[in-house]
CSV table of all heavy atoms in Angstrom, one decimal:
chain,number,residue,atom,x,y,z
A,73,ARG,N,117.2,109.5,128.8
A,73,ARG,CA,118.2,108.6,129.4
A,73,ARG,C,118.6,107.4,128.5
A,73,ARG,O,117.7,106.9,127.8
A,73,ARG,CB,117.7,108.0,130.7
A,73,ARG,CG,117.6,109.0,131.9
A,73,ARG,CD,117.2,108.3,133.2
A,73,ARG,NE,117.1,109.2,134.2
A,73,ARG,CZ,118.1,109.5,135.1
A,73,ARG,NH1,119.3,108.9,134.9
A,73,ARG,NH2,118.0,110.3,136.1
A,74,ILE,N,119.8,107.0,128.4
A,74,ILE,CA,120.2,105.8,127.7
A,74,ILE,C,121.0,105.0,128.6
A,74,ILE,O,122.0,105.4,129.2
A,74,ILE,CB,121.1,106.2,126.4
A,74,ILE,CG1,120.4,107.3,125.6
A,74,ILE,CG2,121.3,105.0,125.6
A,74,ILE,CD1,121.3,107.8,124.5
A,75,ALA,N,120.7,103.7,128.6
A,75,ALA,CA,121.5,102.7,129.4
A,75,ALA,C,122.1,101.7,128.4
A,75,ALA,O,121.5,101.2,127.6
A,75,ALA,CB,120.6,102.0,130.4
A,76,ASP,N,123.4,101.4,128.7
A,76,ASP,CA,124.2,100.4,128.0
A,76,ASP,C,125.4,100.0,128.8
A,76,ASP,O,126.0,100.9,129.4
A,76,ASP,CB,124.5,100.8,126.6
A,76,ASP,CG,124.8,99.6,125.6
A,76,ASP,OD1,125.8,98.9,125.9
A,76,ASP,OD2,124.0,99.4,124.7
A,77,LYS,N,125.7,98.7,128.7
A,77,LYS,CA,126.9,98.3,129.5
A,77,LYS,C,128.2,98.8,128.8
A,77,LYS,O,129.2,99.0,129.4
A,77,LYS,CB,126.9,96.8,129.5
A,77,LYS,CG,125.8,96.2,130.4
A,77,LYS,CD,126.2,96.2,131.9
A,77,LYS,CE,125.1,95.8,132.8
A,77,LYS,NZ,125.1,96.3,134.1
A,78,ALA,N,128.1,99.0,127.5
A,78,ALA,CA,129.4,99.4,126.8
A,78,ALA,C,129.4,100.9,126.6
A,78,ALA,O,128.7,101.5,125.7
A,78,ALA,CB,129.4,98.7,125.4
A,79,ALA,N,130.1,101.6,127.4
A,79,ALA,CA,130.1,103.0,127.5
A,79,ALA,C,130.6,103.7,126.1
A,79,ALA,O,130.2,104.8,125.8
A,79,ALA,CB,131.0,103.5,128.6
A,80,ASN,N,131.5,103.0,125.4
A,80,ASN,CA,132.0,103.5,124.2
A,80,ASN,C,130.9,103.8,123.2
A,80,ASN,O,131.1,104.6,122.2
A,80,ASN,CB,133.1,102.6,123.6
A,80,ASN,CG,132.5,101.2,123.2
A,80,ASN,OD1,131.7,100.7,124.0
A,80,ASN,ND2,132.8,100.7,122.1
A,81,ARG,N,129.8,103.1,123.3
A,81,ARG,CA,128.7,103.3,122.3
A,81,ARG,C,128.1,104.7,122.4
A,81,ARG,O,127.7,105.3,121.4
A,81,ARG,CB,127.6,102.3,122.6
A,81,ARG,CG,127.9,100.9,122.1
A,81,ARG,CD,126.9,99.9,122.5
A,81,ARG,NE,127.1,98.7,121.8
A,81,ARG,CZ,126.4,97.5,122.0
A,81,ARG,NH1,125.5,97.5,123.0
A,81,ARG,NH2,126.7,96.4,121.4
A,82,PHE,N,128.1,105.3,123.6
A,82,PHE,CA,127.6,106.6,123.8
A,82,PHE,C,128.4,107.7,123.0
A,82,PHE,O,127.8,108.6,122.5
A,82,PHE,CB,127.6,107.0,125.3
A,82,PHE,CG,126.8,106.1,126.2
A,82,PHE,CD1,127.3,105.6,127.3
A,82,PHE,CD2,125.6,105.7,125.8
A,82,PHE,CE1,126.6,104.7,128.1
A,82,PHE,CE2,124.8,104.8,126.6
A,82,PHE,CZ,125.4,104.3,127.8
A,83,THR,N,129.7,107.5,123.0
A,83,THR,CA,130.6,108.5,122.4
A,83,THR,C,130.4,108.4,120.8
A,83,THR,O,130.7,109.4,120.2
A,83,THR,CB,132.0,108.2,122.7
A,83,THR,OG1,132.4,106.9,122.4
A,83,THR,CG2,132.3,108.5,124.2
A,84,GLU,N,129.9,107.4,120.3
A,84,GLU,CA,129.8,107.2,118.9
A,84,GLU,C,128.4,107.7,118.4
A,84,GLU,O,128.2,107.6,117.1
A,84,GLU,CB,130.1,105.8,118.4
A,84,GLU,CG,131.5,105.4,118.5
A,84,GLU,CD,131.8,103.9,118.6
A,84,GLU,OE1,130.8,103.2,118.4
A,84,GLU,OE2,132.8,103.5,118.9
A,85,LEU,N,127.5,108.1,119.3
A,85,LEU,CA,126.2,108.4,118.9
A,85,LEU,C,125.8,109.8,119.3
A,85,LEU,O,126.4,110.4,120.2
A,85,LEU,CB,125.2,107.4,119.7
A,85,LEU,CG,125.2,105.9,119.2
A,85,LEU,CD1,124.4,105.1,120.2
A,85,LEU,CD2,124.6,105.8,117.8
A,86,PRO,N,124.9,110.4,118.5
A,86,PRO,CA,124.4,111.8,118.8
A,86,PRO,C,123.4,111.8,120.0
A,86,PRO,O,122.3,112.0,119.8
A,86,PRO,CB,123.8,112.2,117.5
A,86,PRO,CG,123.3,110.9,116.9
A,86,PRO,CD,124.2,109.9,117.3
A,87,VAL,N,124.0,111.5,121.2
A,87,VAL,CA,123.2,111.4,122.3
A,87,VAL,C,122.6,112.7,122.9
A,87,VAL,O,121.7,112.7,123.8
A,87,VAL,CB,123.9,110.6,123.5
A,87,VAL,CG1,124.2,109.2,123.0
A,87,VAL,CG2,125.1,111.3,124.0
A,88,GLY,N,123.1,113.8,122.4
A,88,GLY,CA,122.6,115.1,122.8
A,88,GLY,C,122.9,115.2,124.3
A,88,GLY,O,123.9,114.9,124.8
A,89,ASN,N,121.8,115.7,125.1
A,89,ASN,CA,122.0,115.8,126.5
A,89,ASN,C,121.4,114.7,127.3
A,89,ASN,O,121.0,114.9,128.4
A,89,ASN,CB,121.6,117.2,127.0
A,89,ASN,CG,120.2,117.5,126.5
A,89,ASN,OD1,119.5,116.7,126.0
A,89,ASN,ND2,119.8,118.8,126.6
A,90,ALA,N,121.2,113.6,126.6
A,90,ALA,CA,120.7,112.4,127.3
A,90,ALA,C,121.7,112.0,128.4
A,90,ALA,O,122.8,112.1,128.2
A,90,ALA,CB,120.4,111.3,126.4
A,91,VAL,N,121.1,111.6,129.5
A,91,VAL,CA,122.0,111.0,130.6
A,91,VAL,C,122.3,109.6,130.3
A,91,VAL,O,121.4,108.7,130.1
A,91,VAL,CB,121.2,111.1,132.0
A,91,VAL,CG1,122.1,110.5,133.1
A,91,VAL,CG2,120.8,112.5,132.3
A,92,CYS,N,123.6,109.3,130.2
A,92,CYS,CA,124.0,108.0,129.8
A,92,CYS,C,124.5,107.2,131.0
A,92,CYS,O,125.2,107.7,131.9
A,92,CYS,CB,125.1,108.0,128.8
A,92,CYS,SG,124.6,108.8,127.2
A,93,THR,N,124.1,106.0,131.1
A,93,THR,CA,124.4,105.2,132.3
A,93,THR,C,124.6,103.7,131.9
A,93,THR,O,124.2,103.3,130.8
A,93,THR,CB,123.2,105.2,133.3
A,93,THR,OG1,123.4,104.3,134.3
A,93,THR,CG2,121.9,104.9,132.6
A,94,ASP,N,125.3,102.9,132.8
A,94,ASP,CA,125.4,101.5,132.5
A,94,ASP,C,124.3,100.7,133.3
A,94,ASP,O,124.3,99.5,133.3
A,94,ASP,CB,126.8,101.0,132.8
A,94,ASP,CG,127.1,101.1,134.3
A,94,ASP,OD1,126.4,101.7,135.1
A,94,ASP,OD2,128.2,100.5,134.7
A,95,ASN,N,123.4,101.5,134.0
A,95,ASN,CA,122.5,100.9,134.9
A,95,ASN,C,121.1,101.1,134.4
A,95,ASN,O,120.5,102.2,134.5
A,95,ASN,CB,122.7,101.4,136.3
A,95,ASN,CG,121.8,100.7,137.3
A,95,ASN,OD1,121.0,99.8,136.9
A,95,ASN,ND2,122.0,101.0,138.5
A,96,ALA,N,120.4,100.1,133.9
A,96,ALA,CA,119.1,100.2,133.3
A,96,ALA,C,118.0,100.7,134.4
A,96,ALA,O,117.1,101.3,134.1
A,96,ALA,CB,118.6,98.9,132.7
A,97,SER,N,118.3,100.3,135.7
A,97,SER,CA,117.4,100.7,136.7
A,97,SER,C,117.2,102.2,136.8
A,97,SER,O,116.2,102.7,137.3
A,97,SER,CB,117.9,100.2,138.1
A,97,SER,OG,118.1,98.8,138.0
A,98,ASP,N,118.3,103.0,136.4
A,98,ASP,CA,118.2,104.4,136.4
A,98,ASP,C,117.0,104.9,135.7
A,98,ASP,O,116.4,105.9,135.9
A,98,ASP,CB,119.5,105.1,135.8
A,98,ASP,CG,120.7,104.9,136.8
A,98,ASP,OD1,120.5,104.3,137.9
A,98,ASP,OD2,121.8,105.2,136.3
A,99,ILE,N,116.8,104.1,134.5
A,99,ILE,CA,115.7,104.5,133.6
A,99,ILE,C,114.3,104.1,134.2
A,99,ILE,O,113.4,104.8,134.3
A,99,ILE,CB,115.9,103.9,132.2
A,99,ILE,CG1,117.0,104.6,131.6
A,99,ILE,CG2,114.6,103.9,131.4
A,99,ILE,CD1,117.5,104.0,130.3
A,100,ILE,N,114.3,102.8,134.7
A,100,ILE,CA,113.0,102.3,135.3
A,100,ILE,C,112.6,103.1,136.5
A,100,ILE,O,111.4,103.4,136.6
A,100,ILE,CB,113.3,100.8,135.7
A,100,ILE,CG1,113.8,99.9,134.6
A,100,ILE,CG2,112.0,100.2,136.3
A,100,ILE,CD1,112.8,99.7,133.5
A,101,ASN,N,113.6,103.6,137.3
A,101,ASN,CA,113.3,104.3,138.5
A,101,ASN,C,113.1,105.8,138.3
A,101,ASN,O,112.8,106.5,139.3
A,101,ASN,CB,114.3,104.0,139.6
A,101,ASN,CG,114.3,102.5,140.0
A,101,ASN,OD1,113.3,101.9,140.1
A,101,ASN,ND2,115.5,102.0,140.2
A,102,ASP,N,113.3,106.3,137.1
A,102,ASP,CA,113.1,107.7,136.9
A,102,ASP,C,111.6,108.0,136.7
A,102,ASP,O,111.0,107.6,135.6
A,102,ASP,CB,113.9,108.1,135.7
A,102,ASP,CG,113.8,109.6,135.4
A,102,ASP,OD1,112.8,110.3,135.9
A,102,ASP,OD2,114.6,110.2,134.6
A,103,PRO,N,111.0,108.7,137.6
A,103,PRO,CA,109.5,108.9,137.5
A,103,PRO,C,109.1,109.7,136.3
A,103,PRO,O,108.0,109.8,135.9
A,103,PRO,CB,109.1,109.6,138.8
A,103,PRO,CG,110.4,110.1,139.3
A,103,PRO,CD,111.5,109.3,138.8
A,104,ASP,N,110.1,110.5,135.7
A,104,ASP,CA,109.8,111.4,134.6
A,104,ASP,C,109.7,110.6,133.2
A,104,ASP,O,109.3,111.2,132.3
A,104,ASP,CB,110.8,112.5,134.5
A,104,ASP,CG,110.6,113.5,135.6
A,104,ASP,OD1,109.5,113.5,136.2
A,104,ASP,OD2,111.6,114.2,136.0
A,105,ILE,N,110.3,109.4,133.2
A,105,ILE,CA,110.3,108.7,132.0
A,105,ILE,C,108.9,108.2,131.6
A,105,ILE,O,108.3,107.5,132.4
A,105,ILE,CB,111.3,107.5,132.0
A,105,ILE,CG1,112.7,108.0,132.3
A,105,ILE,CG2,111.2,106.6,130.8
A,105,ILE,CD1,113.4,108.6,131.1
A,106,ASP,N,108.4,108.5,130.4
A,106,ASP,CA,107.1,108.1,130.0
A,106,ASP,C,107.1,106.8,129.2
A,106,ASP,O,106.2,105.9,129.3
A,106,ASP,CB,106.4,109.1,129.0
A,106,ASP,CG,106.3,110.5,129.7
A,106,ASP,OD1,105.5,110.6,130.7
A,106,ASP,OD2,107.0,111.4,129.3
A,107,ILE,N,108.2,106.6,128.4
A,107,ILE,CA,108.3,105.5,127.5
A,107,ILE,C,109.6,104.8,127.7
A,107,ILE,O,110.7,105.5,127.6
A,107,ILE,CB,108.1,105.9,126.0
A,107,ILE,CG1,106.9,106.7,125.8
A,107,ILE,CG2,108.3,104.7,125.1
A,107,ILE,CD1,106.8,107.3,124.4
A,108,VAL,N,109.6,103.5,127.9
A,108,VAL,CA,110.9,102.7,128.0
A,108,VAL,C,111.0,101.9,126.7
A,108,VAL,O,110.1,101.2,126.3
A,108,VAL,CB,110.9,101.8,129.2
A,108,VAL,CG1,112.1,100.9,129.2
A,108,VAL,CG2,110.9,102.6,130.5
A,109,ILE,N,112.2,102.1,126.1
A,109,ILE,CA,112.4,101.3,124.9
A,109,ILE,C,113.4,100.2,125.2
A,109,ILE,O,114.6,100.4,125.7
A,109,ILE,CB,113.0,102.1,123.8
A,109,ILE,CG1,112.1,103.3,123.5
A,109,ILE,CG2,113.2,101.3,122.5
A,109,ILE,CD1,112.6,104.3,122.5
A,110,GLU,N,113.0,98.9,125.1
A,110,GLU,CA,113.8,97.8,125.4
A,110,GLU,C,114.5,97.2,124.2
A,110,GLU,O,113.8,96.7,123.3
A,110,GLU,CB,113.0,96.7,126.2
A,110,GLU,CG,113.8,95.5,126.6
A,110,GLU,CD,114.0,94.4,125.5
A,110,GLU,OE1,112.9,94.0,124.9
A,110,GLU,OE2,115.1,94.1,125.1
A,111,LEU,N,115.8,97.4,124.0
A,111,LEU,CA,116.5,96.8,122.9
A,111,LEU,C,117.7,96.0,123.3
A,111,LEU,O,118.8,96.0,122.7
A,111,LEU,CB,116.9,97.9,121.9
A,111,LEU,CG,115.7,98.7,121.3
A,111,LEU,CD1,116.1,100.0,120.5
A,111,LEU,CD2,114.8,97.8,120.4
A,112,VAL,N,117.5,95.3,124.4
A,112,VAL,CA,118.6,94.5,125.0
A,112,VAL,C,118.6,93.2,124.3
A,112,VAL,O,119.7,92.6,124.1
A,112,VAL,CB,118.4,94.3,126.5
A,112,VAL,CG1,119.5,93.5,127.1
A,112,VAL,CG2,118.3,95.7,127.2
A,113,GLY,N,117.4,92.6,124.0
A,113,GLY,CA,117.3,91.3,123.5
A,113,GLY,C,117.4,90.2,124.5
A,113,GLY,O,117.6,90.5,125.7
A,114,GLY,N,117.1,89.0,124.2
A,114,GLY,CA,117.1,87.9,125.1
A,114,GLY,C,115.7,87.8,125.9
A,114,GLY,O,114.9,88.7,125.8
A,115,THR,N,115.5,86.8,126.6
A,115,THR,CA,114.2,86.6,127.3
A,115,THR,C,114.3,86.6,128.8
A,115,THR,O,113.3,86.2,129.5
A,115,THR,CB,113.5,85.3,126.8
A,115,THR,OG1,114.4,84.2,127.0
A,115,THR,CG2,113.1,85.4,125.3
A,116,THR,N,115.4,87.0,129.4
A,116,THR,CA,115.6,87.0,130.8
A,116,THR,C,115.7,88.4,131.4
A,116,THR,O,114.6,88.9,131.9
A,116,THR,CB,116.8,86.1,131.3
A,116,THR,OG1,117.9,86.6,130.5
A,116,THR,CG2,116.6,84.7,131.0
A,117,PHE,N,116.8,89.1,131.2
A,117,PHE,CA,117.0,90.4,131.7
A,117,PHE,C,116.0,91.4,131.1
A,117,PHE,O,115.3,92.1,131.7
A,117,PHE,CB,118.4,90.9,131.4
A,117,PHE,CG,118.7,92.3,131.8
A,117,PHE,CD1,118.5,92.7,133.1
A,117,PHE,CD2,119.3,93.2,130.9
A,117,PHE,CE1,118.8,94.0,133.5
A,117,PHE,CE2,119.5,94.5,131.2
A,117,PHE,CZ,119.3,94.9,132.6
A,118,ALA,N,115.8,91.2,129.7
A,118,ALA,CA,114.8,92.0,129.0
A,118,ALA,C,113.4,91.9,129.6
A,118,ALA,O,112.6,92.8,129.7
A,118,ALA,CB,114.8,91.6,127.5
Side-chain angles (χ1 to χ4, degrees):
Chain A
R73 291 183 179 270
I74 311 176
D76 200 293
K77 292 280 174 206
N80 62 315
R81 286 176 171 169
F82 302 133
T83 54
E84 288 157 12
L85 289 169
V87 297
N89 51 12
V91 179
C92 297
T93 171
D94 66 349
N95 188 353
S97 304
D98 291 355
I99 289 175
I100 306 292
N101 294 324
D102 180 344
D104 290 335
I105 297 286
D106 301 292
I107 303 172
V108 171
I109 304 175
E110 179 277 307
L111 297 171
V112 180
T115 53
T116 50
F117 179 55

